[in-house]
Amino acid sequence: MHSKKLFGIRGVVFLTLLFGLSVCDEDVCNRRPLGTKTDPLPPDNQFLIEINGLIENLYIPKKEYIVRLRSRDAKSTFIAFTIALKEDTLPNRNNPRKPIHLNAGRLTLMPNSTTTRYKQHCDDTVVELDITPKTFVEALWTAPDKDNKCVTVFAVVAVQPDVWYNYEGPLSKWICEDRRKADDIQPLENDNCQACEDARYQLTFEGTWSYNTHPSLFPKSRELARFSDVVGASHSKDFSLYKYTSEASLGLKLLAEQGNSTKLEIEIQKQLGTSVRTVIKASAPYNTSMSTVTNFRATREHHLISLATALLPSPDWFLGVANLELCSIKTNQWTENITFNLYPMDAGTDKGLTFEAPNEEMSPPQPISPAKFIKEIPKELMKPFARLRLKLVRTYSTTNCSMEIEEPVTSEGDNDADAGNDKDREHNYITDPPVTTPPTTTTSEEPPSVDPASPDDCPLSTWEEWFPCQGVCNDGKIKGIQIRLRYRMVDGVAVGKYFGEEQKESQTPEECLDKYSLSDTRECEETCDNESEAVDEDNVWDDTTSELDEQAVK
């Protein structure tokens, strides 16, 4: 009687429909735990259901998610349960009493599960294998295709044969389709990468943050706006730079609050050679609407990348990506090109709500989440603060490859030399374990020669050609900077300041590295075509009206 008062008539009717109280017909799905006929208790927050990998309760179509039913204190136990799905509906114009049912995806058992089984006569329903006490169970949910709106993932839990909790509150998750643009969605993670070759990627971090594009999301002191160095790694699934809804590490805290990347680099380097293949670092772009470029290596085991850069000034905001997949889930081979938009995240370590807010430590720290100021602008109108572009440059044969050595993956104008001639920028460096396999590529490019003017104890290559002028195109002209590079020469081989294809920094005196710069910068001015610049003109705020251009809305 007490339970019926809590739920009301509507609640009892819904439970009747949902769990199939008529158990006389064996073909009716009965989702009550252990087939009990007693009324459920209301949830008491002792147990909850979680879905790993969701961001803001949005699912990516066709992606797999782990559904976990657990006790909050990891001590309380349950003997039986039901985990199931409920699809969304659309109005039926022909028959309003019978709405059109959409697809809720597919619920399956975890591989090698010893605690779960499918429920007879019930679609997409997982129940207990036995009634031994347990503190958690897991199932695998494959999200439906596009345009299936929202899905409810729910559970019921029995702590005794006739004592059970219904699906409401913490035992139910209502999640909806992620409707973001394609470049806002990460590639699906691939647990079956079959690329036998190692890969080298070029990573371009392209800043798209300026007062013109983000007038309400820019520091009042415009000249202070900048990105920190970009720091990250190519890694396996055993490494995590950060996780959404988890607390930031000390290294990420220092990066987000101060722009100091040293501690975060040390955290990554501790995993170098095991779960980390390459420590990636790219210097901060000259300004927030320019780019910086670096290269890194990936392997079949280390086919994910994660990285972060601070938004400065800010309380603890940063841009980043966690577990970006390089191995295509469609082909199980290396993806040739990836573009991914970056939006501000909150490290959860400072209370500030504005760019220039004074330091005020958050105690206790909060989980990483989208930056709070994003709520001021509708999600569909939010513009990325930066864009990652990844290009597969070449592959390297390994002992795992049974096929013939393949030609390199290159693009027009790519003159990558042999392994001893890879050139990693002085200010954009990578740190790799020693390379044990030879590259598969040769090139007719002349290797860099030693500059006769360089000292005998610090031989350097001649300067390369200037890079293209980098800057914002205004009125048909770019006013910006150009960079040119040179390299250390060790045994006739050009290597980067920090790392080349062979680790040789120990052969070069430290005073040599401090005394002679490997990069040169100058101001430049060139003609340009406004339509071809990196700034997306369709997504530029009107500087005179501070409103979106009508074309961008369309």
Side-chain angles (χ1 to χ4, degrees), residues 335-355:
T335 305
E336 293 192 8
N337 292 282
I338 298 173
T339 301
F340 184 64
N341 293 330
L342 301 179
Y343 298 87
M345 300 295 295
D346 188 330
T349 60
D350 191 289
K351 293 182 179 180
L353 297 177
T354 63
F355 285 99

Side-chain angles (χ1 to χ4, degrees), residues 322-524:
N323 293 9
L324 182 67
E325 181 63 73
L326 302 175
C327 191
S328 170
I329 199 166
K330 293 182 179 179
T331 65
N332 292 322
Q333 301 297 318
W334 297 117
T335 305
E336 293 192 8
N337 292 282
I338 298 173
T339 301
F340 184 64
N341 293 330
L342 301 179
Y343 298 87
M345 300 295 295
D346 188 330
T349 60
D350 191 289
K351 293 182 179 180
L353 297 177
T354 63
F355 285 99
E356 292 90 352
N359 292 333
E360 188 177 1
E361 186 167 349
M362 181 76 74
S363 182
Q366 298 299 302
I368 295 170
S369 63
K372 296 176 178 61
F373 65 76
I374 288 181
K375 296 179 181 178
E376 299 175 9
I377 294 180
K379 180 172 292 186
E380 62 271 16
L381 299 183
M382 172 62 68
K383 302 173 185 63
F385 280 48
R387 187 174 292 115
L388 287 182
R389 298 191 187 276
L390 296 161
K391 181 179 74 173
L392 179 61
V393 176
R394 59 179 293 188
T395 57
Y396 300 82
S397 178
T398 70
T399 54
N400 294 326
C401 296
S402 58
M403 62 190 72
E404 293 184 2
I405 295 176
E406 298 183 358
E407 290 299 316
V409 179
T410 60
S411 61
E412 185 177 353
D414 179 21
N415 292 321
D416 194 16
D418 61 18
N421 193 31
D422 276 332
K423 298 184 274 293
D424 297 309
R425 299 188 181 193
E426 175 266 339
H427 60 300
N428 296 337
Y429 67 88
I430 63 175
T431 306
D432 284 349
V435 176
T436 57
T437 55
T440 63
T441 323
T442 59
T443 178
S444 59
E445 181 186 7
E446 290 283 335
S449 58
V450 175
D451 185 350
S454 62
D456 293 338
D457 61 346
C458 188
L460 302 171
S461 71
T462 54
W463 287 104
E464 288 190 328
E465 295 295 323
W466 291 96
F467 280 77
C469 188
Q470 292 196 54
V472 178
C473 186
N474 287 319
D475 298 328
K477 285 188 177 181
I478 290 178
K479 290 185 178 181
I481 61 167
Q482 281 179 296
I483 298 174
R484 65 175 180 174
L485 305 175
R486 61 180 175 180
Y487 304 91
R488 294 184 293 119
M489 301 295 292
V490 178
D491 298 334
V493 174
V495 293
K497 176 178 179 180
Y498 293 91
F499 204 89
E501 282 298 334
E502 300 177 25
Q503 197 167 7
K504 295 187 174 182
E505 52 264 67
S506 61
Q507 301 182 27
T508 305
E510 288 296 327
E511 57 269 20
C512 169
L513 303 181
D514 296 334
K515 191 173 182 181
Y516 300 98
S517 174
L518 300 179
S519 66
D520 189 17
T521 304
R522 71 180 183 186
E523 294 183 354
C524 59

Side-chain angles (χ1 to χ4, degrees), residues 237-256:
K237 295 191 70 172
D238 297 328
F239 173 83
S240 175
L241 188 70
Y242 68 88
K243 291 182 180 179
Y244 298 107
T245 70
S246 295
E247 291 183 13
S249 68
L250 177 58
L252 185 61
K253 168 184 165 69
L254 294 177
L255 178 81

Side-chain angles (χ1 to χ4, degrees), residues 66 75 182 222 225 249 258 272 312 341 365 398 434 499 511 550:
I66 295 177
K75 296 178 181 178
R222 302 184 196 177
S249 68
Q258 305 172 15
L272 188 62
L312 300 169
N341 293 330
T398 70
F499 204 89
E511 57 269 20
E550 290 183 1

Side-chain angles (χ1 to χ4, degrees), residues 211-229:
Y211 180 76
N212 287 336
T213 57
H214 300 74
S216 62
L217 301 177
F218 208 75
K220 293 180 180 179
S221 302
R222 302 184 196 177
E223 68 280 0
L224 298 180
R226 63 185 179 91
F227 297 119
S228 71
D229 290 344

